[in-house]
Amino acid sequence: MADTKVALITGSTSGIGRATALRLAAEGYDIAAVARRTARLEALREEISARPQQCLPVTCDLSEAGAAGRMTEEVLAHFGRLDVVVASAGHGRGYGPLGEAEQGHWPSALAVNLSSVMDLAGAALQPLRESSGTLVLIGSVFGIDPAPDYAAYAAAKHGLRGFVRSIRREQNMEGVRVCLLNPGTTNTEFASVLRGDTEPMVHDPAVWGFEPLLPEDVAAAVAWVAGQPAHVDVEEITIRATRDR
Ligand SMILES: NC(=O)c1ccc[n+]([C@@H]2O[C@H](COP(=O)([O-])OP(=O)(O)OC[C@H]3O[C@@H](n4cnc5c(N)ncnc54)[C@H](OP(=O)(O)O)[C@@H]3O)[C@@H](O)[C@H]2O)c1
């Protein structure tokens, strides 16, 4: 096994995934950066390659059946190991009350936010056993609380919580740590994507009326979880902006 630890991060082109890729690269991990927007992946590769760490950009649409598993095999074939896997890709499209929401987006919302994460976890399991590694799945406070107007998204994130809590019990005895990390409002492109903007952008934080989390706040928590010694398993973390209701 090569010496340098490897982190695979989905959703690396934006927000929490991108901040996590940069944070873990700064901590010495080689990075497999996964998302659809190739130009942004290439920009991230260039940014990380200023350090000694390697960055492998992997263009992948996680809404496609089987894509998460194939992508994981590709990363493993390149690096030969996996130490940290962070599932951050997600979207909230299909927003709105039942009956008014654009339900055409729901299959993709369920695929990206839930099914692909399950596939990724399954494909990463054996290499994570070999490295006594860590799986960090980005949930949401909408996976804990009711979320009017976000029913499909909430269904996926509640499902993810059930998945994580179940596999954690299975996999702990194999030495794999499994953490569900639930952010509250975080200033990323999430809301812009949800609206269907063709050029997604980060909000002016003034729209919320309180200071939201930054993606770097969540990335710091991921790094803390991944940095725990092998006998410490952080089961679940929920992070909310202080003044967020
Ligand atoms: N922002 C918040 O307030 C908030 C709160 C709680 C939880 N979360 C969760 O945090 C995670 C990250 O979201 P974010 O806030 O960082 O949003 P973001 O800035 O919009 O980033 C979402 C990422 O997911 C990727 N993605 C979306 N659809 C994909 C697909 N079909 N295939 C592959 N990658 C795909 C995007 O990359 P490409 O478009 O390049 O594919 C992008 O890198 C999500 O799981 C979200 O549910 C966010």
Side-chain angles (χ1 to χ4, degrees):
M1 209 186 267
D3 284 345
T4 307
K5 290 187 174 183
V6 176
L8 184 164
I9 301 148
T10 72
S12 289
T13 48
S14 176
I16 293 167
R18 184 174 188 281
T20 300
L22 290 169
R23 173 71 189 237
L24 293 182
E27 296 204 355
Y29 288 84
D30 283 341
I31 303 294
V34 182
R36 292 168 301 178
R37 286 171 288 180
T38 306
R40 285 198 188 200
L41 287 174
E42 199 49 45
L44 179 68
R45 188 189 66 74
E46 279 178 23
E47 200 169 338
I48 288 177
S49 298
R51 308 173 189 277
Q53 278 65 49
Q54 266 195 62
C55 176
L56 175 72
V58 185
T59 305
C60 176
D61 184 346
L62 291 166
S63 69
E64 290 174 4
R70 289 192 295 276
M71 169 277 289
T72 308
E73 293 304 323
E74 187 182 333
V75 171
L76 201 54
H78 181 86
F79 284 115
R81 65 183 290 166
L82 278 178
D83 298 273
V84 178
V85 172
V86 183
S88 186
H91 71 79
R93 299 207 71 187
Y95 166 89
L98 189 62
E100 294 174 31
E102 279 185 66
Q103 293 189 21
H105 292 298
W106 287 6
S108 165
L110 291 170
V112 179
N113 296 320
L114 179 60
S115 310
S116 77
V117 185
M118 294 166 68
D119 290 346
L120 170 64
L125 199 55
Q126 190 53 37
L128 288 175
R129 283 179 179 164
E130 288 165 15
S131 64
S132 298
T134 310
L135 185 59
V136 184
L137 306 179
I138 305 298
S140 169
V141 293
F142 288 174
I144 303 171
D145 302 332
D149 296 337
Y150 286 87
Y153 178 74
K157 294 293 187 180
H158 275 72
L160 187 64
R161 192 162 189 242
F163 177 72
V164 174
R165 297 178 78 194
S166 304
I167 64 163
R168 187 183 162 274
R169 291 270 177 93
E170 295 165 10
Q171 300 308 324
N172 275 181
M173 295 310 287
E174 304 290 339
V176 177
R177 284 88 58 77
V178 185
C179 178
L180 179 67
L181 205 166
N182 305 307
T185 307
T186 311
N187 199 17
T188 68
E189 296 177 6
F190 185 88
S192 179
V193 171
L194 177 154
R195 274 200 313 264
D197 294 348
T198 44
E199 295 289 336
M201 64 185 80
V202 176
H203 273 302
D204 176 347
V207 297
W208 282 293
F210 61 89
E211 187 177 353
L213 298 172
L214 298 174
E216 290 77 13
D217 299 324
V218 183
V222 175
W224 179 77
V225 169
Q228 295 304 306
H231 68 285
V232 178
D233 177 35
V234 183
E235 184 174 351
E236 184 164 354
I237 299 181
T238 299
I239 312 176
R240 297 176 199 258
T242 304
R243 296 180 194 280
D244 190 353
R245 289 168 190 274

